[in-house]
Amino acid sequence: AELNLFGWSEYVPQDVLDGFTKETGITVNFETYASNEEMLSKLVAGGGNYDLVQPSEYAAELMIRRNMLAKLDKAKLPNFKNLSPEFLGQVHDPKDEYTVPYMSGTVGIVVNTAVVKDDIKGYKDVFQAKFKNRLVVLDDNREIVTWALYASGLPVNEINPTSLAKVRPLVSEWVKLVKVFDSGSPKTALLNGDVDIGIVWSGEAALLWKEDQKFKYVLPAEGAHRFIDIFAIPADAPHKDAAHAFINYILKPEVSKIVSENFPYTNPNLEARKLLTPEEQANPASYPTGSPKLETFRDIGKAAAEIDQLMTDLKSAQ
Amino acid sequence: MPDPAKPMIEFRGVTKRFGAFTAVRDVSLTVNTGEFLTLLGPSGCGKTTLLRLLAGFETPDEGLVLLDGEDVSHVPPYRRSVNQVFQSYALFPHMTVKENVGFGLRMQNIPAPEAEARIKEALATVSLAEQADKLPHQMSGGQRQRVALARAIVCRPKVLLLDEPLSALDAKLRHGMQLELKRLQRKLGLTFVFVTHDQEEALTMSDRIAIINHGRIEQLGNATEIYHRPRTPFAADFIGQANLLSAEIILRNGSKATVRLDTGLELVVACTDLPVGATKALVSIRPEKIHIGRTPAIAENVFQAKIEEEIFQGATDQLRLITDQGTRFHALVANESATQEAYHEGDRVYCSLHLDDLVIVQTE
Amino acid sequence: MPDPAKPMIEFRGVTKRFGAFTAVRDVSLTVNTGEFLTLLGPSGCGKTTLLRLLAGFETPDEGLVLLDGEDVSHVPPYRRSVNQVFQSYALFPHMTVKENVGFGLRMQNIPAPEAEARIKEALATVSLAEQADKLPHQMSGGQRQRVALARAIVCRPKVLLLDEPLSALDAKLRHGMQLELKRLQRKLGLTFVFVTHDQEEALTMSDRIAIINHGRIEQLGNATEIYHRPRTPFAADFIGQANLLSAEIILRNGSKATVRLDTGLELVVACTDLPVGATKALVSIRPEKIHIGRTPAIAENVFQAKIEEEIFQGATDQLRLITDQGTRFHALVANESATQEAYHEGDRVYCSLHLDDLVIVQTE
Amino acid sequence: MPAPRPLIPSGLTLLNWFLRGWTGLVFAFLYAPIAVLVVFSFNSSRLNIVWESFTFNWYERLLTNAPLIKAAKNSLIVASISTILSVVLGTAGAWLLHRYRFRFSRAIQTLVAIPMVMPEILLGISLLILFVTAGLKLGFTSVIIGHVTFSFPFVLVAVQARLQGLDPALEEAALDLGASPLKAFWLVIVPCLRPAIIAGGLMAFTLSMDELIVTVFVKSAASATLPVKVFDMARVGLNPMLNALSAIFIIATVAFVLFSEYLKKLSR
Amino acid sequence: MHALTPATPGVSDHNRPGWKAWALLMPMVLWLLLFVVVPGLILLVYSFCERDEIGGVVYSFTWRNFERVFDPVYLRIFWRSILYAGITTIICAVVGYPVAYYMARAGEALRNRLLLLVMVPFWTSFLIRTYAWITILKQEGLLNSLVQAMNLNLGPFNLLYTPTAVVIGLVYAYLPFMILPIYGSAEKLDNSLIEAAYDLGAGPVRAFSSVIVPLTMPGIAAGTLLVFVPAIGMFAITDLMGGAKVPMIGNVIQNQFLQARDWPFGAALGVIFMLMFVLTYVILQRRGSRAA
Ligand SMILES: Nc1ncnc2c1ncn2[C@@H]1O[C@H](COP(=O)(O)OP(=O)(O)OP(=O)(O)O)[C@@H](O)[C@H]1O
Ligand SMILES: Nc1ncnc2c1ncn2[C@@H]1O[C@H](COP(=O)(O)OP(=O)(O)OP(=O)(O)O)[C@@H](O)[C@H]1O
Ligand SMILES: NCCCCNCCCN
Ligand SMILES: [Mg+2]
Ligand SMILES: [Mg+2]
């Protein structure tokens, strides 16, 4: 038997795939993408025969609305119970009919405290003229615009031409300060010493912290994005049983633990969290403390294209 | 043995055009089995094109090409028993000499032992037995040309086309190869169509020579005819060296006539080639026919001249002469030696010219 | 006017190797200003390599090359006042005839009007004035070669190197160009180093000839020396045609000696070139020196022979003879004509040979 | 006919030195990153950032990484087949276009150039749409079609450049000696074109080995090539296992070249 | 010598294709029709369509996508891409030419070895090579360590994530595609032509500019095509080595398909992009065949 898995790059450890094959005899063909949009493109074009995909919450919302996902057979997912209710019943799938949370995380600020002595609290502290060419940020247009919306006190899930026009000068200024745009591996520029501050996925930040505790993770005071990456089965998936088996396998605490060890995002699997070492549990990027202002993304329809044009325009205007 | 009376090759009114340019115009020509025909003419006159029509690389725009009695105008080259030695050798650069020579045999599926023997023989013929395993680029120009020759003769075609096959050889080797080719042709009774720009070679080797100019056959005949009786000024001038002199016919007297050159010098010629109404003529005199002496010899034409220049040519000396009337000639004499008197620049000498050695090549 | 006494070119013990192969070995040679030197030798003997050493494309492995008294062994080609006519023409395909010819002048930054005039003149010299705007690929081989010539002479170098500059021309044109070149050389007082494989050309044009074999100079001398007094069998055989006969010295008698050929035929030779202890000799006889007649002529050597074959060569007939003893010769006679008796295959004739026309080329 | 004279004439010493030195520098440039990745393939640190200590660990892990090995195998299969197809298509096409005056020669020539100028993403997407519409299942076939489409023009162009210098009398000589046009092509023309075919084939192989974007679109999960896998693994930073893989590739190639040259020498 | 006079020019009879020649040409023609023309038409159709919310194509006719292509934003990006690709091409030509020339003049064994050695680095995936470059160019990378170790009083160089890094990456990626075609035409170059130039007094520089370059123009032209075109479309190197700061046209097209999910607009950009090249190519081809 076979399973065609289409997932995020650097998100599913090879050991887990091997373990699944060993246990079930199902070979896994693993293909990756670097953004939800890339995944959607391939799905729309067709021909992929994917059994399992890993969209983020807002992409899942869209896919559900467009009937692109198959309903899950909960009977085949006994391990579903291990999940924390905190990540269930979310707006994108209020009844948890289509999706199973895989990992969650935040987008926040990493500061190399060995170099930067300022107290960085939010976006405005990051985008200062003195940090010109010392910054790495995600190469993700919606993320960047979202930060500007937070910084301007505007709603981040209701984007329209007016709100975009409002944040345009701010983003324009920010773009000029950045040295590297990178969503694949933003940690690299920080580790290499090419930059000192970054706005990155929390998992990346957690890895940096693991490497050297001089890399401090800060959730912006103005508000931050909390994403939930989920598992879902495309409506036309040829191997739905294998897909269920894989989801169930991942939900096993000892398996989920391996994922967390490799990619220290926020693990929604409570049983798995218990198996982590105290240091891992104390990693401030993986499990932030306090009560930061966090929001998930909603599908914004055509505004996505407008954001894209805005960013292209501003970047190329330099 | 092929039948020497039957024509092996026949061109019937063949014309070949390249776009607006006519390379071969209305050529009719028959070559007998076992004959050695040479095509002679200036560069670009259409010699190679004639060979290509025979080999099958070009089809005539008008007329027919017959090989051994059969119309082959539309038979592809690989189905004609004709082989060619290419002007550019066209050796296959990736094959050894042996493989090159054996290529045609391989195409004919000749069994290996026989092929081996024939290759050996062909290479021996061109004195390259030792070089069988070399690649073409390891050989000098002359050696390559000989390989091309061997490659063509090894197939024993009915007709062999040779496009300047000896041009890259030095005189020494060239003479040897000329003899060898001639011998081979006789022995195997092959029909040769030979292209050369070396007139001596043409005269030496051919049964017949076709003088080509601007795609037309100007004259066709055996070597002595061509040499001694050129029909046109072009033929006279192109073959050997000729003193071409234009003259006015001033007197006819039975079988002889007297002509006057532009300078006033008068000469006696035979009437044979002089049509009745003609008033002007172009006279050709071969330099070696002008007898030079300290004293006048017995001949129809005797006049005095001064030696302007003497040019050593090896076996002969070339003399450039000017007559008292101002006509310039050149003449050939055997070079100075134990038995031969020497002539020098500035000497005054007598020139004698026999009636029959003045050839009328054009009249008006 | 250059000083004709001063050497323009000097090779001092020059050796050039390509890998393990020695193309030029220990050549020493002086060419005077205004001299016309011809290099003559079989293909691959090193002629082109010698020119390349002069032009600066190769550096000698041993020895020195001097130009006008200055050691240029390591001066790059573009700083030498030497121009070359390449064996392969080497015309720039992307430039018109005019641009090709003008290239050298452009490199010398000659002002346009002067350049224009000189190009015109050079093209007129090679009779190509009309073709100035053609591209090389639009011309025939012969025309290209003349462009190459014009391109070299237009620069008026002290030394002009000509690598087979006339090989692509038919006999007619070739004769014309030979005269033209010679005139040019005299007029401008240039030093010419000329390569040819045409011996007649070499004999006609050169002040001196160097016979090269296997990278060595075999003989150096003027045309008559080279032709009449070859020093080695190679030189005798390579230039003109020669009957080379090996003989035993059987009698010395004052200034003469008698030698016996392998077949038994005995001939009288002059002792001049016979060293005292020698017992064997190689004798060279030029075919045109053998006098043929129906009656014996007065000469040191007279013998009878039969004509085996007669080959028509245009101005001359070549006769292949066999003496009663079985020695094979070839001889040249003027061709049959009004004043010349004809000889035919099978005829028995008398051969007469003057003492001085037998040349000793090697002794043992 | 002068003897072939390769190389720059010995009289131009300075030029010789310049060219040799420059070529050396450029090769240093070409191989600098290769040297780096070979060195780091023995670095114990997972991050390609500083030298820690020597290890064979990555090679060991590489050999047990089945998907990566499979992808490498896929890549070799795809590159070999598409190189062969490209060489056949490109050589035959170049020959026919050179040899005959077809009515649409120029149009075909322009068409050939299009895949070379087409951004890969467009080729990938449009081929994918074509395949999906035509109902062709994605897999090796679709990947190979994609690769051949953009790589055979390179062979064609290289071979065409070579043909321009080829003496047409060669083919005629073969025909004259009794070879049919097909035999003449195979026995005479192809060997004469070898250098260009090799250069073109090398380009085709290289393009295929390195092609990512078209493959991403037209592959199936089972036919993923090495670049696709590498991209999955490496877009988040360098993985020393990949260094090890590259090192093995390059060393194997160089060894292969030396070995085949050795064989050639033996057979002479 | 005769070998050097070209065969008679023009169309000879055996240049007229028979049915067999047509039959042999068919596979290539079919391939081109099927896998180049048809996909091209698909893109053309798409470029006049609209997108739906998820990124699917809605078949309704509009000029909007083309209007957008000519928005100054994209024109500026086009221009910038041409600039980068142009610089890259020039550097590749300047750097690669002597190498190609040297290879072409080298002995046959060395020549083949060098030919292979030029290609081998490119059998590692381009990402791996690019990361290796990052290791060299980064702030605390090999280049700066080297400079420091040699006490050169230079640097440290801040190269990574700058336009210089992008150009280095591009030059590295495309250099072989410049070298190979130039090698191809230089290999055929008749040595005696160069020698003739020297002989007539041209120094190396003038011989190069007035004889060698014009005669190897086909190779330079082919190399330019093979470097310039893909360099314009390249996006990964600008992202990885340039820090994704300034988008190139390749990034924009890529983004329409993989981020913005606006396929019709991406197709329109692609159509214009390809049209630009086909036109340039046809013009170059015309000029080339006229010059020949
Ligand atoms: N394919 C062709 N297209 C146009 N013109 C041609 C073609 N082939 C030959 N010609 C022209 O036809 C004429 C005769 O050419 P051909 O090759 O037969 O000459 P040739 O007598 O062999 O000359 P050479 O002695 O120089 O070899 C030349 O003027 C040539 O330019
Ligand atoms: N670059 C080279 N490498 C190796 N051998 C060479 C090289 N150049 C010349 N030779 C060899 O040196 C010898 C002399 O060559 P060269 O070109 O001087 O001969 P040539 O006398 O001009 O002959 P031809 O009359 O055929 O032109 C030849 O045997 C040739 O093969
Ligand atoms: N390398 C894996 C990163 C996964 C991040 N997913 C977040 C998506 C939010 N748009
Ligand atoms: Mg010809
Ligand atoms: Mg030579």
Side-chain angles (χ1 to χ4, degrees), chain A residues 9-10 14 29-34 42 45 47 184-185 191-192, chain D residues 46-47 49 67 128 132 138 216-217 219 221 229 232 235-237:
Chain A
S9 59
E10 283 294 272
Q14 184 65 38
N29 298 313
F30 185 33
E31 248 184 84
T32 66
Y33 52 85
K42 282 223 70 178
S185 180
L191 279 171
N192 284 345
Chain D
R46 199 205 122 100
L47 299 165
I49 289 173
L128 173 62
V132 170
L138 298 186
V216 162
F217 281 92
K219 72 171 199 304
K229 266 285 170 289
D232 284 352
R235 62 175 152 192
V236 289

Side-chain angles (χ1 to χ4, degrees), chain B residues 56-338:
Chain B
F57 297 125
E58 308 287 355
T59 46
D61 291 318
E62 286 163 33
L64 294 181
V65 178
L66 287 85
L67 267 177
D68 212 2
E70 184 198 349
D71 176 9
V72 294
S73 310
H74 296 277
V75 174
Y78 47 97
R79 297 230 183 79
R80 302 187 184 197
S81 180
V82 167
N83 284 116
Q84 183 171 355
V85 181
F86 286 79
Q87 201 170 6
S88 59
Y89 322 151
L91 298 184
F92 306 131
H94 57 294
M95 299 185 191
T96 63
V97 167
K98 210 163 111 183
E99 288 164 349
N100 262 287
V101 175
F103 188 86
L105 302 176
R106 214 169 108 207
M107 293 303 110
Q108 291 172 32
N109 298 316
I110 306 279
E114 188 195 333
E116 195 75 24
R118 278 171 64 177
I119 293 168
K120 226 174 187 161
E121 191 194 320
L123 284 177
T125 307
V126 298
S127 325
L128 285 177
E130 316 282 85
Q131 327 269 333
D133 293 316
K134 282 199 177 165
L135 285 169
H137 78 261
Q138 297 168 323
M139 313 194 87
S140 81
Q143 291 172 323
R144 286 183 218 185
Q145 201 164 41
R146 283 180 281 156
V147 177
L149 202 53
R151 188 175 65 175
I153 59 178
V154 81
C155 297
R156 295 188 196 147
K158 295 187 205 157
V159 174
L160 193 60
L161 310 177
L162 303 106
D163 202 349
E164 311 223 355
L166 307 176
S167 61
L169 310 184
D170 60 63
K172 198 79 223 145
L173 198 54
R174 189 164 181 144
H175 275 286
M177 288 307 304
Q178 284 171 357
L179 295 175
E180 200 55 60
L181 271 180
K182 195 75 198 172
R183 170 138 19 103
L184 200 82
Q185 189 241 349
R186 290 219 181 109
K187 194 177 89 190
L188 302 179
L190 303 181
T191 308
F192 270 34
V193 182
F194 192 91
V195 170
T196 180
H197 66 229
D198 180 333
Q199 299 140 27
E200 193 184 300
E201 192 167 275
L203 294 170
T204 317
M205 301 184 71
S206 330
D207 294 328
R208 282 193 302 160
I209 296 173
I211 306 282
I212 319 249
N213 194 20
H214 289 308
R216 269 213 190 81
I217 298 186
E218 289 245 345
Q219 188 169 358
L220 181 67
N222 66 33
T224 39
E225 268 167 44
I226 295 276
Y227 189 81
H228 290 306
R229 293 276 140 211
R231 272 303 158 54
T232 64
F234 176 82
D237 196 37
F238 192 74
I239 298 282
Q241 287 178 283
N243 295 291
L244 276 183
L245 306 163
S246 66
E248 218 178 321
I249 303 166
I250 53 172
L251 190 79
R252 278 171 194 262
N253 181 3
S255 65
K256 296 181 186 177
T258 305
V259 300
R260 183 167 41 220
L261 305 188
D262 303 345
T263 54
L265 182 62
E266 292 183 8
L267 297 172
V268 182
V269 303
C271 274
T272 340
D273 290 328
L274 268 186
V276 182
T279 58
K280 286 186 169 180
L282 203 59
V283 181
S284 158
I285 305 166
R286 295 280 177 212
E288 74 277 12
K289 301 288 168 80
I290 303 172
H291 288 269
I292 305 294
R294 297 288 181 200
T295 52
I298 303 154
E300 281 82 358
N301 299 294
V302 176
F303 49 90
Q304 274 200 294
K306 202 180 75 176
I307 298 175
E308 281 196 318
E309 196 178 355
E310 183 204 359
I311 302 164
F312 178 61
Q313 290 187 328
T316 51
D317 275 0
Q318 191 185 132
L319 301 181
R320 311 202 146 250
L321 302 158
I322 181 161
T323 68
D324 298 347
Q325 292 84 357
T327 302
R328 283 199 161 79
F329 281 95
H330 55 277
L332 285 182
V333 296
N335 70 41
E336 177 187 354
S337 77

Side-chain angles (χ1 to χ4, degrees), chain A residues 8-11 36 56 58 140 143 184 201 225 227 229 265 297, chain D residues 236:
Chain A
W8 286 88
S9 59
E10 283 294 272
Y11 219 13
N36 287 301
S56 302
Y58 66 98
D140 186 311
E143 286 291 350
W201 313 124
H225 171 208
F227 54 83
D229 294 328
Y265 287 87
F297 278 176
Chain D
V236 289

Side-chain angles (χ1 to χ4, degrees), chain C residues 195-238:
Chain C
V195 169
T196 180
H197 66 228
D198 179 333
Q199 298 140 26
E200 193 184 301
E201 191 167 277
L203 294 171
T204 317
M205 300 184 71
S206 330
D207 294 328
R208 282 193 303 160
I209 297 173
I211 306 281
I212 320 250
N213 193 21
H214 290 308
R216 270 215 189 78
I217 297 184
E218 288 245 345
Q219 187 171 357
L220 181 66
N222 65 33
T224 40
E225 268 168 43
I226 295 274
Y227 189 80
H228 291 304
R229 294 274 140 215
R231 274 302 157 55
T232 65
F234 176 82
D237 196 36
F238 192 74

